[in-house]
Amino acid sequence: MPELPEVETTRRQIEKIMVGRRIEAVETTRPSYFFLTPPEELRRRLPGQRVDRLDRAGKYLVAALGDGSRLLLHLGMTGQLFSSDAASVRLLSSTARASLSPEAQIRFKPDEHTHLRIRFAGSGPDLFFRDVRKFGKVEWLAHGEKSERLDRLGIDALGLTGELLFRANRARRVAIKSMLLDQSVCAGIGNIYADEALFLAGVRPGRAAKRVTRSECETIAKFVRQVLERSIETGGSSISDYVAPDGSDGGYQDERHVYARTGEPCPRCATPIKRKMIGQRSSHYCLRCQK
DNA sequence: ACCGCACCCTGAGCGC
DNA sequence: TGCGCTCAGGGTGCGG
């Protein structure tokens, strides 16, 4: 589900209910691969900790805790972080929404997909982490403990440069789009923004990375930054089920050019947008505008 | 080192 | 109404 702009939007909203507060209790579901740290350990380690900061690294959220330990959160495809003040009606698709009883529409009640609940001391809302597909992740790192997940990440996508991309592309036969999705090259881009940036740059997603010129790399990097920044301004993309923690929809889906627009006219030349699988991900592009 | 693929889950939407 | 199929914005790990 969420890429850099959605994670950043989530961070800005969740920060308000986490930072400066002390964790009082933690509730979890049963152990599953969602929990990189066993849930019983989370319930033991987290209470008493104050949240000092909430940072973002690529698509990860990193909460810095009072004793120097850290809590890593990754939303995967369907992860949702939200406050216990949020109304359930805003957490579901419009069809699912309509089938809810009026009572259920007023306030969210933790369900079997709500894998983590953090209760804070004092007044103010709790934090819920709900994830239907369980592709999300929770991990607790002790003070000074290294995280191979974070260490693997390349430069944050907002700081991608043509030079970095060009160097990474050397001798790589994979598609340029696969390079953009590779979190060790740059962190934060996902399927939507890879397609959008490549459309704006006029480069076909399937082109072999080593065949992309230096100046095209500059253009791609420029549009990657531009598309991500603009999406953050609009609150991210709400295409299938992403909604911000406060329940509002993002706005970027209305500005996208090619993603999930198969068959629709290209906004530039009116040629129907083509869809093709590249690196196991559906890719959308214009045959005429993208070389 | 690189590359393609299977896999981890659940739910929505579609054709029949 | 139900069945079977495809698809989904994530990432990891394996074998060739």
Side-chain angles (χ1 to χ4, degrees), chain A residues 124-149:
Chain A
D126 299 341
L127 178 72
F128 288 122
F129 190 171
R130 182 174 186 269
D131 185 1
V132 169
R133 288 174 77 182
K134 287 194 282 192
F135 288 173
K137 295 278 174 283
V138 180
E139 183 177 27
W140 179 81
L141 298 166
H143 175 68
E145 185 179 350
K146 298 251 291 176
S147 163
E148 73 254 15
R149 282 159 200 281

Side-chain angles (χ1 to χ4, degrees), chain A residues 10-73:
Chain A
T10 299
R11 190 195 68 77
R12 290 178 185 183
Q13 296 188 12
I14 288 305
E15 177 177 59
K16 296 175 197 156
I17 66 171
M18 288 186 85
V19 173
R21 298 182 73 197
R22 192 170 57 80
I23 297 172
E24 193 167 72
V26 171
E27 295 164 22
T28 70
T29 49
R30 308 293 308 160
S32 68
Y33 64 87
F34 176 84
F35 294 105
L36 296 174
T37 300
E40 67 77 20
E41 188 176 351
L42 292 176
R43 296 196 296 264
R44 184 157 40 86
R45 301 280 193 186
L46 296 179
Q49 295 296 328
R50 193 186 67 244
V51 180
D52 287 337
R53 300 154 50 93
L54 183 65
D55 300 312
R56 182 187 57 74
K59 300 174 195 172
Y60 287 90
L61 290 174
V62 185
L65 306 179
D67 69 349
S69 65
R70 293 177 292 172
L71 184 68
L72 258 57
L73 304 167

Side-chain angles (χ1 to χ4, degrees), chain A residues 68-182:
Chain A
S69 65
R70 293 177 292 172
L71 184 68
L72 258 57
L73 304 167
H74 193 291
L75 299 174
M77 292 275 270
T78 52
Q80 301 171 300
L81 283 165
F82 53 95
S83 120
S84 53
D85 284 347
S88 63
V89 63
R90 304 298 300 158
L91 297 167
L92 303 164
S93 66
S94 53
T95 45
R97 212 173 281 176
S99 67
L100 285 177
S101 69
E103 154 65 21
Q105 291 187 22
I106 293 169
R107 183 165 293 271
F108 173 79
K109 286 210 178 67
D111 59 3
E112 75 269 32
H113 302 303
T114 307
H115 301 294
L116 186 68
R117 175 181 195 156
I118 298 180
R119 295 184 182 273
F120 294 96
S123 61
D126 299 341
L127 178 72
F128 288 122
F129 190 171
R130 182 174 186 269
D131 185 1
V132 169
R133 288 174 77 182
K134 287 194 282 192
F135 288 173
K137 295 278 174 283
V138 180
E139 183 177 27
W140 179 81
L141 298 166
H143 175 68
E145 185 179 350
K146 298 251 291 176
S147 163
E148 73 254 15
R149 282 159 200 281
L150 294 184
D151 292 347
R152 249 199 303 264
L153 298 179
I155 188 167
D156 195 80
L158 288 172
L160 180 64
T161 65
E163 173 67 20
L164 283 166
L165 183 58
F166 185 71
R167 260 189 283 146
N169 281 347
R170 286 256 166 84
R172 298 297 298 270
R173 284 172 295 156
V174 289
I176 180 65
K177 178 174 175 185
S178 300
M179 296 299 291
L180 294 180
L181 293 177
D182 184 340

Side-chain angles (χ1 to χ4, degrees), chain A residues 201-221:
Chain A
V203 174
R204 280 197 204 168
R207 173 123 59 99
K210 63 180 177 182
R211 303 256 178 260
V212 179
T213 67
R214 186 181 211 92
S215 95
E216 285 173 323
C217 284
E218 293 292 344
T219 309
I220 293 168

